[in-house]
Amino acid sequence: MRISLDADLCQGHAVCQAEAPSVFAVPKRGHVEILDPTPGADLREPVENAVRYCPTQALLLVEDDEHVPSPKGTD
C-alpha cells in the first residue's frame, strides 16, 4: 500500500497524526508530512482510519497494483 496526498486539500487538522503518529506528522500551522509513504501491513488499520477520518479527504490509500494519477499541478 502507498499513501497519496492532495496537498491543496490538507488544512492541517492533524486527525491523521492522531490515528497513525508513526506515519503522519502535522507541524503547528502546517500541512501533513508523510513520514512513511509505504507503511507495512501492520499499520494498515491506523492508516485506513487516518484516511477515513481526514476532514478534507486529502489522503488516499493506494494498493500496490493500482495507479492513481498525480494531483493536478504536480506533474
Side-chain angles (χ1 to χ4, degrees):
M1 80 177 148
R2 178 174 52 87
I3 302 165
S4 178
L5 166 68
D6 186 336
D8 290 336
L9 292 177
C10 181
Q11 295 179 358
H13 293 282
V15 172
C16 56
Q17 179 178 300
E19 293 293 334
S22 65
V23 179
F24 303 100
V26 182
K28 288 187 185 247
R29 298 186 187 145
H31 293 124
V32 64
E33 296 171 12
I34 300 175
L35 305 174
D36 185 358
T38 56
D42 59 319
L43 293 172
R44 177 173 284 282
E45 185 177 350
V47 170
E48 285 177 343
N49 287 338
V51 171
R52 179 179 302 115
Y53 300 127
C54 176
T56 61
Q57 305 283 305
L59 298 169
L60 178 66
L61 189 59
V62 181
E63 296 304 327
D64 294 330
D65 57 348
E66 292 181 55
H67 173 72
V68 173
S70 300
K72 63 183 179 181
T74 62
D75 293 345

